[in-house]
Amino acid sequence: MEAGKRMEKVLEKSLNQKVKRRSFLKVFAAAAATSVVPVKEATAFSFSKYFQKHYKEMTEADKKKVFARITKEAKEKYNTSINISEPQAITGVKYAYCLNLKACNGSRMCVTACAEENNIDPDIGSYIKVLEMPIGTSNTERGDLFYDEHNLPKDGKYYLPTQCNQCDNAPCTKVCPVEATWKEKDGLVVIDYDWCIGCRYCQAACPYEARHFNFKEPKIDKSKLNTQQSYLSNRVRSKGVMEKCTFCLHRSREGQYPACLEACPTGARKFGNILDPKSEVAQIFKHKRVFVLKEELNTMPQFFYYFD
Amino acid sequence: MIVEALTGSKVYFLWLGFLTILFLLGVFAYYQQLKFGLEVTNLSQIVSWGAYIANFTFLVGVAAAAVLMVVPAYVFKIPEVKEIVIIAEIMAFVALILCLMFIVVDLGDPLKSWHLIPYIGKLNFPQSVLAWDVIILNGYLLLNAHVPGYVLYQMYLGNEPKKKYYYPFVFLSIFWAISIHTVTAFLYSGLGGKPFWNSAILAPRFLISAFSAGPALLILVFYTINKVRYHFKVKVKVFKILKSIAAIAFPINLFLVFCEVFKEFYTDSAHVASARYLFTGLHGHNILVPYIWFAIIAQIFVITVFWVPKLRDNSKFLLPACVVGFIGIWIEKGMGLIIPGFLPSPHGIIVDYTPSITEIFVCLGIWSFGALLFTMMAKVAIEILNGKLRVK
Amino acid sequence: MKYLLLFLIIPSLYAQVEIEQRLDIIKGFPCMKCHGSFVNKKSHFPLNTPHENIKLNHYKEINNCYFCHDRDNRNQLKLINGKKIAFNQGYKVCIQCHGEKNRDWKLGIHGKQVGSWSGKKYRYSCISCHEPHKPQFSKWIADPLPKYPWIDSARKGGH
């Protein structure tokens, strides 16, 4: 490691900038490591994943094989048995999410719950970001992600949680070069993680910072692993692919509320089938004045905000 | 031909050796990236495209710039240009190879690249502009492999290349060259969520900056050829044409930049934030400011050199101007376009992005591979063009 | 006829919703266990019960406990019109004044409601969030922000 530190200092001086320690040391360390016995932690390389079909083209037999592979990989990596499901879209259902901005107090309990429910790598953190907004604007660029955690809610501020809006006219599904992401019949925008090539064009196209990329192999705490997984939502991803909020597809398609809604301490979140006039979300449309973010982009989000 | 590529003077070998070392360092750096993932770069969820895509965007322009030699050679039939147009086409070919390499190293999971192949994979054509780009770039690659390949090979065999086998493709490549850079610009300008890029002027800006940087590079390449190859000379007429193109293109480029700057700063809407980040710094983040102003001033210097006859005919001014102009366009179109597009993020987040050491080595590796490939191919091409290299 | 229909419709609306039973949560019920045997005996103070620290600060007109609590039977509450209410229907006391919130709450759009969006729901009652004696919320401490790798670069400079 000494040689590495010295080389780093030399490069820093000549490049006149701080060398990114992690990447440089890794380069050096890996050079040493490659000549030694392979580390046990090395990710199991599975060939079959690379020959797999697109999810929409898989037969039942294909799916069985794929789910068996995923279950086996999970067993090897986490020494736990997981369940891989693929709940189908329910006919006559189109999901909508409504968020009461008067009720949200910036607690970030939704952020934490999402991270645990969806087996998200800590570097990505969560699919939800809560912004502290000054009263008088709905421009998220003026929001503060790093707000002080104490004495919430603060005067003169309101709190705006953002996540994937499952847009009806999604820019992300439009730009994906391999159709690895698409909009399902019930409105959810999903990703086939094994088909995604990791070009990140969808991340550039999304106006809401809703898409996240795995820059490295996800490291999930074994004890925190959520074993109830589904192919299109919360199964553990691999490095180099995109992921995002799916309104907890593995829960919502089984009639349950997303994890963020259940965690919210103030009941600010409402979720359901917008086509059902008796649902909470349809009633919110009837009685409240809802709006969406960046409406002028015509993305037609299915995540609605309102003040009570 | 292979023997020709691998024999030469001491300088030639030193040059090839230096490039090979850089290339191998790049390969090693890329191996780290394959092993650990893109976390070895300084990319983040906020700035998710960086040095790789910036270089890709710039190189598409370099590839498109070959049309600036093809049109005088085949449309205006200027003999001095016709002599050396093959070299420009080879440059386009190499630039395209580098484009594809930069895309591959940017992918999170490159082993899945086969998903991009129509029918075998699932190419999202025609909805995704990136799908268009895949088809168009590979098409241009084939065009620029076929035309010089066919012509040189026929000459190598001692035959006269038959016009019907390459002329139609040459004319196709003229339109195709314009379209590769237009489609690459559309990748960016079609994104409503990135207001810095969502501008109609982006495609014209791309083409004009390509036509500025392209001649600058060609002047440098042809000058070098004249220096190292005693029995092959690129004629003065070629330099004149390239200088004229650059003398027009650089000012138009600056004008288009000014148009963009006016619209951003006069309107002063919320969308001006990215332009502010680039030109003046925003909220204490200002690392790109010196670079963009260097690029602007460099281009003013270049315009001065190209417009003053005493200066543009003096290689002591011309060559530095070409180098500085090339770098200036690289900054303005590469890092100066890609990075500010992401900042501030939709949630107002600004992060400082400079490429990591690994990223720099991968980029250098790819550029040096290009220089290596081009040097060897150009050497072979020149020997065929001047009649020295023929099949035994 | 229309009353018969209402009789059928309203229960079917409610059948899918189970409202939080306060009696499952309230400690010290039945209240008459203590309140049955004494009334206002100052010598029994200080009490070691939750009642000790109650400071009434709901609305200036509500200035005594018996506005909502039944003086004679502490196991229940009462409405302004005198009607007696069980603790499990404590929300009926709230909706005397908070009519619009009542409408929203009955539709499931005010307050927390968990369960199934398509099936049976569990609705929290008013009191699980709003302390009836002092409804003003105290300040909250948020969960920490995830440790994004880019956080240091983003936080430098002002905002």
Side-chain angles (χ1 to χ4, degrees), chain A residues 5-117:
Chain A
K5 275 213 180 89
R6 269 184 269 125
M7 273 301 288
E8 196 181 283
K9 285 278 181 271
V10 167
L11 272 164
E12 254 179 64
K13 260 205 177 136
S14 52
L15 289 172
N16 254 347
Q17 64 175 41
K18 210 115 195 33
V19 170
K20 185 167 188 219
R21 277 209 101 222
R22 191 169 50 169
S23 66
F24 183 85
L25 281 177
K26 274 216 161 79
V27 167
F28 229 82
T34 38
S35 55
V36 184
V37 174
V39 181
K40 218 201 272 175
E41 239 235 57
T43 49
F45 188 77
S46 97
F47 271 109
S48 51
K49 178 168 81 167
Y50 293 97
F51 293 101
Q52 192 171 300
K53 290 193 202 127
H54 189 284
Y55 175 74
K56 289 207 269 198
E57 272 146 33
M58 283 186 198
T59 62
E60 286 308 313
D62 292 329
K63 287 184 191 176
K64 260 210 177 86
K65 262 195 235 153
V66 170
F67 295 174
R69 171 185 63 85
I70 296 171
T71 323
K72 178 163 160 267
E73 280 173 2
K75 191 82 198 204
E76 281 169 6
K77 200 164 181 190
Y78 299 102
N79 203 17
T80 343
S81 302
I82 58 161
N83 286 324
I84 294 277
S85 64
E86 43 149 10
Q88 298 302 306
I90 306 165
T91 22
V93 170
K94 186 166 192 298
Y95 295 112
Y97 214 126
C98 294
L99 201 138
N100 184 352
L101 290 170
K102 173 99 183 317
C104 179
N105 62 1
S107 73
R108 289 198 194 121
M109 289 178 72
C110 51
V111 175
T112 315
C114 170
E116 287 170 3
E117 180 68 29

Side-chain angles (χ1 to χ4, degrees), chain A residues 118-125 127 191 193 196-198 200 203 211-220 233 235-244, chain B residues 33 36-40 43-45 48 106-109:
Chain A
N118 288 294
N119 295 321
I120 305 175
D121 178 70
D123 276 2
I124 293 177
Y127 297 147
I191 304 172
Y193 307 117
C196 173
I197 60 175
R200 307 185 300 292
Q203 193 171 32
R211 299 191 66 113
H212 312 271
F213 179 68
N214 282 286
F215 282 93
K216 64 180 215 306
E217 198 69 36
K219 268 201 185 68
I220 317 292
S233 66
R235 65 181 172 107
V236 183
R237 278 69 54 177
S238 48
K239 77 167 162 17
V241 299
M242 304 299 298
E243 56 182 80
K244 67 183 222 11
Chain B
Q33 189 182 287
F36 295 105
L38 275 137
E39 66 157 356
V40 302
L43 296 169
S44 60
Q45 306 295 345
S48 50
D106 185 66
L107 290 180
D109 211 343

